[in-house]
Amino acid sequence: MAFNPIPAWNVIVFEKTNEAHMIASKHLPEYLFTAYMNNPFPLSNARYYHKQTDTQSIYYLSPEASVISADLLNMYGAMLLLDEPDVAGFDEHFI
């Protein structure tokens, strides 16, 4: 079943114990930027938040960033959030 993005917060979590996850985590910002640049609709305020913990690499995508590419969110197993996450302690990146 394909992931259909709606304007809402999404989270993608990569486990550091999984080498494939860590490789994917390093490429996510590049793929997100490429999808943004190829998006035919102008998007403002698209951003993501990133934090590394001892066991995980966590990305929160703003609603504006979440609608950039359904394929990208589906490929990385993004999870839809019902509420805005607490991003205190995360690095903010504008796309």
Side-chain angles (χ1 to χ4, degrees), residues 3-4 6 9 12 20 29 33 36 38 41-42 44 50 52-54 58-59 61-62 64 75-77 82-83:
F3 183 83
N4 186 14
I6 59 172
W9 285 89
I12 302 173
F33 180 74
Y36 175 80
N38 291 318
F41 306 105
S44 63
H50 179 245
Q52 296 264 20
T53 68
D54 290 339
I58 305 164
Y59 289 88
L61 281 68
S62 71
E64 298 83 3
M75 179 174 72
Y76 281 106
L82 299 178
D83 296 314

Side-chain angles (χ1 to χ4, degrees), residues 61-86:
L61 281 68
S62 71
E64 298 83 3
S66 295
V67 297
I68 291 173
S69 173
D71 291 338
L72 184 69
L73 295 179
N74 190 43
M75 179 174 72
Y76 281 106
M79 294 176 283
L80 181 67
L81 300 175
L82 299 178
D83 296 314
E84 185 172 341
D86 179 8

Side-chain angles (χ1 to χ4, degrees), residues 28-44:
L28 177 61
E30 174 187 335
Y31 294 153
L32 193 56
F33 180 74
T34 299
Y36 175 80
M37 294 305 292
N38 291 318
N39 192 315
F41 306 105
L43 298 167
S44 63

